[in-house]
Amino acid sequence: MGKRKENSTNMLNEKVIMECELMYAVCKIGGRWKLLILCKLENGKLRFSEIKRLIPEMTERMLALQLRELEKDGLVKRTVYAEVPPRVDYELTDISKELVPVWRQLEVWAVRHKKLVEE
């Protein structure tokens, strides 16, 4: 994949968005799968296959991509064990553990919002 131009619309939009701390946070955990993956890791380490089993609708390719992004952003720690066959565990980093009360509060809000919309 090629490098994006510094003055491309996409790069300029990203710079503006990243200036707002809330938008920055949403970009790091946003999307269809990232927050769901983080929630599944809330109770401790999981292997790739265990995460895949917990989110069967997600393709293996998408899971690998999302885990890679979460690791790059410092939200997930990947540990590779020198075993045969190789074993890899994923777990929340300390900074992502701070998000647990935030997404619990979002759940409370979501329940109230769903009820309001359904009425």
Side-chain angles (χ1 to χ4, degrees), residues 1-14:
M1 182 148 84
K3 187 176 177 183
R4 291 189 294 176
K5 295 180 189 173
E6 290 271 333
N7 60 352
S8 71
T9 304
N10 199 358
M11 284 291 280
L12 295 174
N13 289 344
E14 186 175 307

Side-chain angles (χ1 to χ4, degrees), residues 21-65:
E21 281 75 14
L22 183 57
M23 286 301 297
Y24 175 85
V26 169
C27 286
K28 296 301 169 191
I29 62 170
R32 183 172 290 165
W33 303 110
K34 285 183 182 177
L35 194 53
L36 185 57
I37 292 168
L38 292 172
C39 288
K40 299 301 180 188
L41 292 170
E42 179 180 351
N43 296 320
K45 296 178 182 182
L46 291 173
R47 296 176 76 172
F48 184 92
S49 60
E50 293 171 320
I51 301 170
K52 177 66 180 110
R53 195 174 16 248
L54 292 170
I55 313 171
E57 302 81 11
M58 188 177 197
T59 65
E60 287 186 12
R61 180 180 183 279
M62 182 56 69
L63 178 56
L65 289 170

Side-chain angles (χ1 to χ4, degrees), residues 67-78:
L67 284 169
R68 200 172 302 135
E69 279 187 36
L70 288 166
E71 182 185 9
K72 181 185 76 137
D73 290 335
L75 297 172
V76 167
K77 180 183 173 194
R78 180 178 184 261

Side-chain angles (χ1 to χ4, degrees), residues 82-99:
E83 299 175 355
V84 177
R87 180 172 59 113
V88 180
D89 285 337
Y90 295 91
E91 63 184 310
L92 297 180
T93 59
D94 290 339
I95 194 78
S96 61
K97 288 176 185 174
E98 293 177 18
L99 286 170

